[in-house]
Amino acid sequence: TIHVLAGCHSLVSINNEIVGDPLEKAAMATIHWVTKGGDVSIPRHKGQSTSKRLVRILKRFHFQSSLQRMTCLVEVEGSSVSTGLTTGMVVCKGSPEAIRALLKTVPAAYESTYDYYTQRGYRVIALAYRYVHGTTMSAVKNMHRDEAESQLLFAGFGIFSCPLMPDSLASIQELQESSHQTIMITGDNILTAVHVARDTGICAEKASALVLTVKTSDEGERRVLQWKGIQADSAACTEATSKALA
């Protein structure tokens, strides 16, 4: 899990300052790793206990909104200078829905776990990986995205708390009091969006919300429109009538 977070990011070090996405910087700070020049990440403390002490990014498949994920090909070096052991890894992170489709095995509580946290306003990112054995680092670096993002192993969820800006609630209330309609446009998880909408008054705090989602059938041959009722006083989602799409 640490190697996924340390190796799957777009952070760069410029004049000893880390520049990039705030969530990625927060993740690196939490695992106590730091990004250096040359796309290398190392533990912040030299004495940190780990058998593999250096992650070098060989290639990035950058985040795409249509794919909802980012993938990197990395080299993980061992701490032994004499042996110079290296291991190739595919490290991937993205929306739980997108990563689920790439996993070799999906844990039984996968969906219920991320639903639990998204309904409470957290931003949830799924983490996955696989080791690449029996090949050179050059071959790893030249892998295509489709090849890399297959048969991945689940490494856990990254759960982030993203508090509202201090003036968000007051600004939205002012708009509503002046007869403006307030609408949220977001690329975040829909359950997280419902939570934020309640916190800001866009959606009635105690009212249930009806959410329309698109789900792929088990056979993968058709998509299904699925209504979910999100209760204000419960973490439970109740599925309503579904309608098949052509």
Side-chain angles (χ1 to χ4, degrees):
T1 303
I2 288 178
H3 289 150
V4 175
L5 292 171
C8 191
H9 61 79
S10 297
L11 300 175
V12 294
S13 177
I14 300 177
N15 296 326
N16 294 322
E17 181 181 355
I18 306 301
V19 177
D21 185 272
L23 247 62
E24 292 183 338
K25 291 199 288 186
M28 292 290 279
T30 300
I31 63 175
H32 305 294
W33 279 54
V34 63
T35 297
K36 298 291 187 180
D39 281 335
V40 170
S41 297
I42 61 174
R44 186 181 299 275
H45 306 296
K46 293 182 179 180
Q48 184 172 332
S49 177
T50 175
S51 60
K52 296 175 180 178
R53 297 172 181 260
L54 184 151
V55 174
R56 178 181 289 106
I57 298 176
L58 303 175
K59 185 175 184 178
R60 287 184 175 91
F61 297 110
H62 287 282
F63 176 83
Q64 293 184 18
S65 57
S66 60
L67 299 178
Q68 299 181 30
R69 62 181 179 268
M70 173 185 184
T71 298
C72 290
L73 308 177
V74 304
E75 177 184 16
V76 182
E77 290 190 1
S79 58
S80 173
V81 177
S82 60
T83 58
L85 294 175
T86 61
T87 301
M89 282 185 72
V90 176
V91 289
C92 181
K93 67 180 182 184
S95 73
E97 297 88 348
I99 299 302
R100 186 187 192 281
L102 305 178
L103 295 178
K104 183 177 181 179
T105 303
V106 180
Y110 186 91
E111 292 188 18
S112 61
T113 299
Y114 78 75
D115 275 354
Y116 176 88
Y117 287 101
T118 53
Q119 288 186 65
R120 285 158 176 77
Y122 293 97
R123 183 170 182 182
V124 180
I125 296 176
L127 311 174
Y129 73 99
R130 71 178 175 90
Y131 292 106
V132 182
H133 298 293
T135 186
T136 64
M137 288 302 110
S138 176
V140 172
K141 187 175 181 179
N142 290 322
M143 289 177 65
H144 295 290
R145 185 163 197 161
D146 290 345
E147 180 185 0
E149 296 176 340
S150 63
Q151 299 293 297
L152 299 180
L153 304 176
F154 181 58
F157 291 118
I159 300 171
F160 299 84
S161 175
C162 303
L164 294 174
M165 298 293 288
D167 59 348
S168 295
L169 179 57
S171 298
I172 290 173
Q173 287 178 338
E174 186 175 353
L175 287 168
Q176 291 174 334
E177 289 169 359
S178 60
S179 300
H180 287 81
Q181 183 181 11
T182 52
I183 298 173
M184 180 192 299
I185 300 175
T186 177
D188 213 333
N189 181 281
I190 188 63
L191 301 182
T192 302
V194 169
H195 180 91
V196 174
R198 286 183 174 134
D199 280 354
T200 55
I202 294 175
C203 175
E205 184 177 354
K206 295 184 179 180
S208 61
L210 195 58
V211 174
L212 182 63
T213 61
V214 179
K215 182 179 180 179
T216 303
S217 65
D218 294 336
E219 297 80 11
E221 298 176 353
R222 61 192 178 98
R223 294 185 301 165
V224 174
L225 277 178
Q226 184 179 61
W227 287 101
K228 287 187 177 182
I230 312 300
Q231 304 300 320
D233 57 353
S234 172
C237 288
T238 57
E239 294 184 8
T241 304
S242 298
K243 178 182 177 182
L245 293 179

